[in-house]
Amino acid sequence: MDRAVAIQRLWGGLVLPPGPFYDGGARYFDVGGFERSESGEWLFEIGPSRTAVPYGFMIGPEGAFGIATTRWVPLHGTIEGWIESVSLAHDAFVYAERVTRYTGTRVETIDFTELEPIEVIAGITDRWWRGDDVLVARSSGEAEAFDAPQSRVALRFTGDLNWLANRGVS
């Protein structure tokens, strides 16, 4: 309960731009109800979804941001990771010269060997990487939640990425 109150004080009312996955994500942050995950851990709602989705946006016992259906799936290690991810996606769509969307098994065709993970995202199920003039976001939360590998999605942003330096992402 103390964590829920602290998060509400810090983030309550914050409205973010829509994210590229999870039908845009939570509309705004507002701590809601509590529930137990399948493993018995306490989760609490972090805000209403922008659209009708078959899961809720939740904060887990260790502070991870994720989604919960009948299964808890942490997306980012922290709520700040989710915020940074949505913010980064917003900027990437503004500045990228080209955006390529990969779904299902096509996600596996992306070569991550030359890319470095972006740690500030605190990615667990959802991750971001960057390389020379390429930025990649991969979302696997829905795939894990519903045991549906065809639901994996990745976005590959290409072009001049100098704007990342202004965000503190090198």
Side-chain angles (χ1 to χ4, degrees):
M1 185 66 115
D2 291 338
R3 282 186 322 109
V5 169
I7 286 176
Q8 179 64 24
R9 283 186 181 144
L10 185 61
W11 300 111
L14 178 67
V15 178
L16 294 173
F21 309 117
Y22 309 100
D23 267 358
R27 185 178 309 151
Y28 55 87
F29 290 145
D30 183 33
V31 171
F34 291 82
E35 64 182 67
R36 283 192 186 260
S37 70
E38 71 283 357
S39 63
E41 301 170 312
W42 281 104
L43 311 170
F44 59 88
E45 286 182 286
I46 191 61
S49 60
R50 291 178 183 278
T51 64
V53 290
Y55 45 76
F57 296 96
M58 312 292 275
I59 299 294
E62 302 300 321
F65 179 92
I67 58 174
T69 60
T70 55
R71 178 186 299 176
W72 159 243
V73 178
L75 306 176
H76 299 274
T78 63
I79 194 169
E80 293 88 349
W82 170 260
I83 293 168
E84 187 63 33
S85 178
V86 171
S87 176
L88 185 58
H90 176 75
D91 284 354
F93 277 110
V94 169
Y95 295 111
E97 295 169 15
R98 182 175 182 182
V99 180
T100 307
R101 181 180 171 92
Y102 298 81
T103 58
T105 57
R106 286 194 60 227
V107 172
E108 296 169 15
T109 66
I110 300 171
D111 181 10
F112 290 95
T113 57
E114 298 295 319
L115 303 177
E116 297 177 30
I118 299 176
E119 300 301 333
V120 70
I121 300 299
I124 297 174
T125 307
D126 290 3
R127 306 269 321 264
W128 283 79
W129 293 264
R130 71 156 299 166
D132 292 336
D133 298 324
V134 65
L135 185 64
V136 177
R138 185 185 69 202
S139 170
S140 300
E142 288 180 353
E144 249 186 67
F146 301 111
D147 196 24
Q150 69 275 12
S151 296
R152 288 179 299 174
V153 180
L155 297 172
R156 185 173 189 269
F157 302 91
T158 55
D160 182 359
L161 298 180
N162 287 330
W163 58 271
L164 280 172
N166 295 334
R167 296 181 53 90
V169 178
S170 54

